[in-house]
PDB file of all heavy atoms in Angstrom:
ATOM      1  N   LYS K 309      20.358 -31.223  -3.468  1.00  0.00           N
ATOM      2  CA  LYS K 309      21.413 -30.447  -4.253  1.00  0.00           C
ATOM      3  C   LYS K 309      20.870 -29.067  -4.625  1.00  0.00           C
ATOM      4  O   LYS K 309      19.654 -28.924  -4.835  1.00  0.00           O
ATOM      5  CB  LYS K 309      21.790 -31.238  -5.480  1.00  0.00           C
ATOM      6  CG  LYS K 309      20.723 -31.510  -6.509  1.00  0.00           C
ATOM      7  CD  LYS K 309      21.303 -32.389  -7.615  1.00  0.00           C
ATOM      8  CE  LYS K 309      20.438 -32.511  -8.832  1.00  0.00           C
ATOM      9  NZ  LYS K 309      19.130 -33.066  -8.690  1.00  0.00           N
ATOM     10  N   ASN K 310      21.753 -28.160  -4.756  1.00  0.00           N
ATOM     11  CA  ASN K 310      21.419 -26.847  -5.161  1.00  0.00           C
ATOM     12  C   ASN K 310      21.503 -26.801  -6.671  1.00  0.00           C
ATOM     13  O   ASN K 310      22.617 -26.683  -7.171  1.00  0.00           O
ATOM     14  CB  ASN K 310      22.359 -25.771  -4.528  1.00  0.00           C
ATOM     15  CG  ASN K 310      21.772 -24.353  -4.659  1.00  0.00           C
ATOM     16  OD1 ASN K 310      20.693 -24.132  -5.228  1.00  0.00           O
ATOM     17  ND2 ASN K 310      22.442 -23.336  -4.156  1.00  0.00           N
ATOM     18  N   SER K 311      20.353 -26.868  -7.361  1.00  0.00           N
ATOM     19  CA  SER K 311      20.388 -27.110  -8.822  1.00  0.00           C
ATOM     20  C   SER K 311      20.203 -25.891  -9.555  1.00  0.00           C
ATOM     21  O   SER K 311      19.174 -25.122  -9.371  1.00  0.00           O
ATOM     22  CB  SER K 311      19.266 -28.094  -9.128  1.00  0.00           C
ATOM     23  OG  SER K 311      18.961 -27.987 -10.470  1.00  0.00           O
ATOM     24  N   GLN K 312      21.202 -25.517 -10.418  1.00  0.00           N
ATOM     25  CA  GLN K 312      20.953 -24.378 -11.313  1.00  0.00           C
ATOM     26  C   GLN K 312      19.698 -24.562 -12.208  1.00  0.00           C
ATOM     27  O   GLN K 312      18.871 -23.656 -12.310  1.00  0.00           O
ATOM     28  CB  GLN K 312      22.177 -24.170 -12.205  1.00  0.00           C
ATOM     29  CG  GLN K 312      23.493 -23.881 -11.599  1.00  0.00           C
ATOM     30  CD  GLN K 312      23.447 -22.533 -10.782  1.00  0.00           C
ATOM     31  OE1 GLN K 312      22.921 -21.523 -11.370  1.00  0.00           O
ATOM     32  NE2 GLN K 312      23.830 -22.523  -9.552  1.00  0.00           N
ATOM     33  N   SER K 313      19.635 -25.705 -12.771  1.00  0.00           N
ATOM     34  CA  SER K 313      18.528 -25.943 -13.719  1.00  0.00           C
ATOM     35  C   SER K 313      17.158 -25.930 -13.042  1.00  0.00           C
ATOM     36  O   SER K 313      16.196 -25.477 -13.632  1.00  0.00           O
ATOM     37  CB  SER K 313      18.784 -27.279 -14.500  1.00  0.00           C
ATOM     38  OG  SER K 313      18.817 -28.376 -13.467  1.00  0.00           O
ATOM     39  N   GLU K 314      17.138 -26.440 -11.801  1.00  0.00           N
ATOM     40  CA  GLU K 314      15.816 -26.395 -11.136  1.00  0.00           C
ATOM     41  C   GLU K 314      15.560 -25.173 -10.369  1.00  0.00           C
ATOM     42  O   GLU K 314      14.428 -24.999  -9.817  1.00  0.00           O
ATOM     43  CB  GLU K 314      15.763 -27.563 -10.068  1.00  0.00           C
ATOM     44  CG  GLU K 314      15.937 -28.924 -10.723  1.00  0.00           C
ATOM     45  CD  GLU K 314      14.657 -29.385 -11.467  1.00  0.00           C
ATOM     46  OE1 GLU K 314      13.626 -28.704 -11.314  1.00  0.00           O
ATOM     47  OE2 GLU K 314      14.685 -30.345 -12.206  1.00  0.00           O
ATOM     48  N   GLY K 315      16.615 -24.206 -10.327  1.00  0.00           N
ATOM     49  CA  GLY K 315      16.288 -22.958  -9.736  1.00  0.00           C
ATOM     50  C   GLY K 315      16.479 -22.957  -8.209  1.00  0.00           C
ATOM     51  O   GLY K 315      15.870 -21.913  -7.660  1.00  0.00           O
ATOM     52  N   GLY K 316      17.081 -23.920  -7.614  1.00  0.00           N
ATOM     53  CA  GLY K 316      17.276 -23.823  -6.186  1.00  0.00           C
ATOM     54  C   GLY K 316      17.463 -25.125  -5.635  1.00  0.00           C
ATOM     55  O   GLY K 316      17.758 -26.211  -6.376  1.00  0.00           O
ATOM     56  N   TRP K 317      17.390 -25.273  -4.352  1.00  0.00           N
ATOM     57  CA  TRP K 317      17.712 -26.525  -3.571  1.00  0.00           C
ATOM     58  C   TRP K 317      16.487 -27.522  -3.895  1.00  0.00           C
ATOM     59  O   TRP K 317      15.309 -27.132  -3.651  1.00  0.00           O
ATOM     60  CB  TRP K 317      17.716 -26.328  -2.049  1.00  0.00           C
ATOM     61  CG  TRP K 317      19.058 -25.717  -1.773  1.00  0.00           C
ATOM     62  CD1 TRP K 317      19.461 -24.491  -1.582  1.00  0.00           C
ATOM     63  CD2 TRP K 317      20.275 -26.572  -1.458  1.00  0.00           C
ATOM     64  NE1 TRP K 317      20.831 -24.412  -1.237  1.00  0.00           N
ATOM     65  CE2 TRP K 317      21.317 -25.657  -1.167  1.00  0.00           C
ATOM     66  CE3 TRP K 317      20.588 -27.898  -1.355  1.00  0.00           C
ATOM     67  CZ2 TRP K 317      22.586 -26.008  -0.801  1.00  0.00           C
ATOM     68  CZ3 TRP K 317      21.924 -28.342  -1.106  1.00  0.00           C
ATOM     69  CH2 TRP K 317      22.854 -27.382  -0.740  1.00  0.00           C
ATOM     70  N   VAL K 318      16.781 -28.724  -4.375  1.00  0.00           N
ATOM     71  CA  VAL K 318      15.758 -29.746  -4.639  1.00  0.00           C
ATOM     72  C   VAL K 318      16.275 -31.090  -3.971  1.00  0.00           C
ATOM     73  O   VAL K 318      17.415 -31.159  -3.644  1.00  0.00           O
ATOM     74  CB  VAL K 318      15.535 -29.958  -6.093  1.00  0.00           C
ATOM     75  CG1 VAL K 318      14.969 -28.710  -6.769  1.00  0.00           C
ATOM     76  CG2 VAL K 318      16.829 -30.272  -6.854  1.00  0.00           C
ATOM     77  N   PHE K 319      15.315 -32.004  -3.700  1.00  0.00           N
ATOM     78  CA  PHE K 319      15.700 -33.267  -3.234  1.00  0.00           C
ATOM     79  C   PHE K 319      14.629 -34.320  -3.550  1.00  0.00           C
ATOM     80  O   PHE K 319      13.568 -33.869  -4.181  1.00  0.00           O
ATOM     81  CB  PHE K 319      15.675 -33.077  -1.646  1.00  0.00           C
ATOM     82  CG  PHE K 319      14.553 -32.222  -1.158  1.00  0.00           C
ATOM     83  CD1 PHE K 319      13.204 -32.741  -0.967  1.00  0.00           C
ATOM     84  CD2 PHE K 319      14.793 -30.893  -0.826  1.00  0.00           C
ATOM     85  CE1 PHE K 319      12.233 -31.895  -0.560  1.00  0.00           C
ATOM     86  CE2 PHE K 319      13.720 -29.999  -0.431  1.00  0.00           C
ATOM     87  CZ  PHE K 319      12.488 -30.573  -0.234  1.00  0.00           C
TER      88      PHE K 319
END
Side-chain angles (χ1 to χ4, degrees):
K309 61 182 192 300
N310 192 1
S311 160
Q312 294 296 315
S313 57
E314 297 287 349
W317 283 92
V318 294
F319 40 82

